[in-house]
Amino acid sequence: MSAPGDLAEPRVLPPRLERAAQQGRGITFVGDGGSERLEWSRLHDEARSAAAALQSRGVGPGTHVAMLGRSTREFVTAVQAVWLAGGAVVVLPLPLRLGSTNAFVEHTRNLVREAEARLVLMDPALSSFLGGETLPGDPSVLPIDSLPTTGGDALESPPVDPSSLAILQFTSGSTAHPKGVMMPHGGVCANLDDIVASLELTTDDVMVSWLPLYHDMGLIGLLTTPMSIGAEVVLGSPHEFISRPSNWPAWLSEFRGTVTGGPNFGFVLAARAMGRMDGLDLSSVRAEVNGAEPIDLDSMERYNRAGRPFGLSPGAMMPVFGLAEATLAVSFPAPGRGPVADVVDGGALEREGTAAPVAPDAPGARRLPLLGRPLPHVSVRVTDPGTGDQRPERMVGEIEIAGPSVTPGYYRQPEATAAAMHDGWLRTGDLGYLAGGELVVTGRLKDLIIVGGRNVYPQDVEWAVAQVDGVRAGNVVAFGITDGRGHERIVVMAEARATDRPALRRAVADRVQSAVGLPPADVVLLEPGELPKTSSGKLQRRLSRSRYLGIPANSH
């Protein structure tokens, strides 16, 4: 078995990409019922040619190139080309729904201006989504398929400093307006090294992904990682998965995938799809990273049960923690362990912020997934959100991180950067605790609902409601509102399929009462697609709450 070896030494991406191209592996693009495989060496040659053309347009160290496109051969080649030219990539979110074109165009133009992009590389199929009149100061737009695939000898490889930006990643805006997370080469490379070590990756691995490339898990975790070590990767698109969730397990089976990843809802959809499939062979899969949103142990267990007839190892599932401000990954469990629950007293967790271990069948027991230990170059601590004092193990507080892969800040937003830092540590905004050195996440600080002195985590309500027949799983939000007497109450908004709305509201209210011991003040049922989501598909609790209260979206 071959391993990356000294590929991990450079602290900038270009030399890693060059060495990886010599490993004899490649990338397979799947979709529309077909596939196209390209060796990394061929893609690298084409990327060098595209990089030379980008250089002729002024792209180099310190310049930002915005990119809008699907997960195609041309797009992936262009990503590498920007890095080879010395620039930083700014991958722009794709439109979620065709019906919101005007809002999408305005949002995209704002991101391009905020990023100070010198050039926009555009998928011709999406040209209408950045249309309109050219305004003073707008960068030029270049069709991504117009970049040359020959002429790489003209590239003059620039010196790249580890502190220069490789990626400008805009946050999804699930709890605030999007901010540009700065990701220098040195930080990206440090996180890549940690991912490779923690997943025990080698060039014999076959990574499979459908994740969008405008999300850090897709761009860094499941594309740049194999691209930078020379491992095999199979790349589909979010549309191919969402429109047919069976594609994901089918790709794992067909291409003998060993490593993959996705958000919790993706595993929910894949589990349902596998229940209607046959002929799969998932015995090659050894690691399935579950991250990017709150993780539900029951969902992971249902996925493992669905995959068992096809040879899927239950130890492959890996619940993890990460965020864009850490480049990507913060904590991983040991490969092969599978999901493990930390069973704690739910009452003590809500009232005292203490994660006291109890027996699984104890009254009020709550199961939370252990998310592993911090990666080799990441430090994690838990602090009191009010005082900043460090808290001991099994005491809930705000999760803070430090290390070379942690962002130096938000682009052109010094106030937001200062607010996110605490004595050299980055405040994640996530609540959690440490248990035996492993991380457990309990929720988001700003989303916490405090009712009668109890800390109610909205995801507990959402997971419970999602089990009600007629509710669309993964399309539920819960948040708190203050009544006229200053008391906080729970509101649930859910997309529903059922026609008997009064009966469904009663069922939802009963389920909330059963799950958290409190009735909701209101249950709002919506049509499919009405809940607001971020560009990466995350539900937006704060925007949902604002809409419920009639607060304009730009007022906070």
Side-chain angles (χ1 to χ4, degrees), residues 35-341:
S35 63
E36 177 193 19
R37 185 179 182 276
L38 193 68
E39 287 199 356
W40 287 124
S41 58
R42 173 79 176 275
L43 187 141
H44 183 67
D45 287 343
E46 294 182 358
R48 285 181 54 84
S49 301
L54 292 175
Q55 279 187 335
S56 70
R57 290 177 169 267
V59 175
T63 60
H64 303 163
V65 177
M67 304 179 63
L68 181 67
R70 300 161 297 160
S71 302
T72 62
R73 169 178 176 171
E74 293 80 11
F75 192 89
V76 173
T77 302
V79 168
Q80 186 172 135
V82 173
W83 287 330
L84 294 177
V89 299
V90 187
V91 183
L92 301 170
L94 295 173
L96 283 178
R97 300 184 183 93
L98 298 182
S100 56
T101 303
N102 291 337
F104 173 79
V105 169
E106 180 182 0
H107 179 66
T108 301
R109 294 177 74 97
N110 286 338
L111 292 183
V112 170
R113 285 191 285 266
E114 179 66 27
E116 296 185 317
R118 184 184 185 94
L119 177 70
V120 179
L121 295 178
M122 170 73 68
D123 187 329
L126 299 171
S127 58
S128 62
F129 291 108
L130 202 60
E133 297 181 6
T134 301
L135 302 177
D138 280 355
S140 58
V141 178
L142 183 68
I144 206 164
D145 61 355
S146 69
L147 292 173
T149 57
T150 58
D153 292 341
L155 175 65
E156 297 181 5
S157 299
V160 179
D161 189 274
S163 65
S164 64
L165 292 191
I167 301 168
L168 186 58
Q169 170 79 53
F170 280 91
T171 60
S172 62
S174 59
T175 57
H177 296 296
K179 299 184 288 289
V181 180
M182 296 187 289
M183 299 181 179
H185 279 265
V188 172
C189 291
N191 210 231
L192 290 174
D193 291 344
D194 279 351
I195 292 170
V196 169
S198 299
L199 287 177
E200 300 174 0
L201 291 175
T202 76
T203 53
D204 292 333
D205 275 304
V206 179
M207 305 182 78
V208 177
S209 176
W210 54 267
L211 299 177
L213 298 182
Y214 53 79
H215 191 275
D216 48 7
M217 194 174 183
L219 176 63
I220 299 169
L222 290 167
L223 176 63
T224 306
T225 299
M227 182 192 287
S228 66
I229 67 171
E232 201 79 21
V233 63
V234 177
L235 182 64
S237 72
H239 174 74
E240 289 282 339
F241 169 69
I242 297 299
S243 62
R244 185 176 293 181
S246 60
N247 275 333
W248 190 10
W251 293 334
L252 287 167
S253 176
E254 178 182 355
F255 295 98
R256 307 301 296 149
T258 62
V259 177
T260 191
N264 196 83
F265 85 86
F267 290 102
V268 172
L269 295 179
R272 292 176 182 170
M274 284 192 289
R276 301 184 295 270
M277 299 176 71
D278 55 33
L280 294 175
D281 181 0
L282 302 179
S283 60
S284 61
V285 181
R286 67 175 188 83
E288 296 183 301
V289 176
N290 185 341
E293 67 177 12
I295 297 168
D296 178 26
L297 278 162
D298 291 338
S299 297
M300 286 190 288
E301 291 164 358
R302 285 193 293 271
Y303 177 86
N304 278 339
R305 287 195 297 271
R308 186 178 298 126
F310 307 119
L312 179 68
S313 168
M317 180 64 70
M318 295 180 66
V320 305
F321 176 66
L323 67 162
E325 286 83 349
T327 299
L328 174 59
V330 171
S331 68
F332 277 10
R337 186 183 74 174
V340 177

Side-chain angles (χ1 to χ4, degrees), residues 491-515:
V491 172
V492 175
M493 299 178 72
E495 295 180 2
R497 295 183 297 268
T499 55
D500 188 349
R501 295 300 176 97
L504 184 56
R505 286 192 185 92
R506 290 193 296 272
V508 168
D510 290 345
R511 184 60 62 92
V512 174
Q513 174 78 48
S514 175

Side-chain angles (χ1 to χ4, degrees), residues 324-485:
E325 286 83 349
T327 299
L328 174 59
V330 171
S331 68
F332 277 10
R337 186 183 74 174
V340 177
D342 188 39
V343 186
V344 300
D345 183 334
L349 191 71
E350 292 175 355
R351 293 183 173 85
E352 304 161 19
T354 302
V358 297
D361 57 353
R366 183 177 173 193
R367 303 166 70 235
L368 296 168
L370 289 168
L371 305 180
R373 296 179 180 275
L375 301 187
H377 296 101
V378 181
S379 298
V380 173
R381 71 179 185 183
V382 176
T383 65
D384 183 309
T387 66
D389 295 337
Q390 191 166 346
R391 287 188 165 171
E393 281 217 341
R394 294 200 167 276
M395 285 293 295
V396 175
E398 183 174 12
I399 299 167
E400 297 185 350
I401 59 174
S405 64
V406 174
T407 180
Y410 301 108
Y411 188 65
R412 298 202 313 169
Q413 296 195 41
E415 293 182 0
T417 298
M421 298 300 176
H422 173 214
D423 295 337
W425 293 70
L426 183 130
R427 303 180 61 181
T428 66
D430 288 297
L431 291 170
Y433 61 90
L434 292 168
E438 291 202 51
L439 185 61
V440 178
V441 175
T442 58
R444 290 286 301 174
L445 181 60
K446 293 181 180 179
D447 292 336
L448 193 64
I449 307 169
I450 303 175
V451 183
R454 291 179 51 192
N455 293 330
V456 178
Y457 295 93
Q459 61 265 36
D460 291 346
V461 177
E462 293 160 0
W463 287 333
V465 172
Q467 308 308 313
V468 177
D469 288 340
V471 172
R472 298 185 71 220
N475 291 275
V476 183
V477 295
F479 50 82
I481 61 168
T482 304
D483 63 19
R485 294 176 295 175

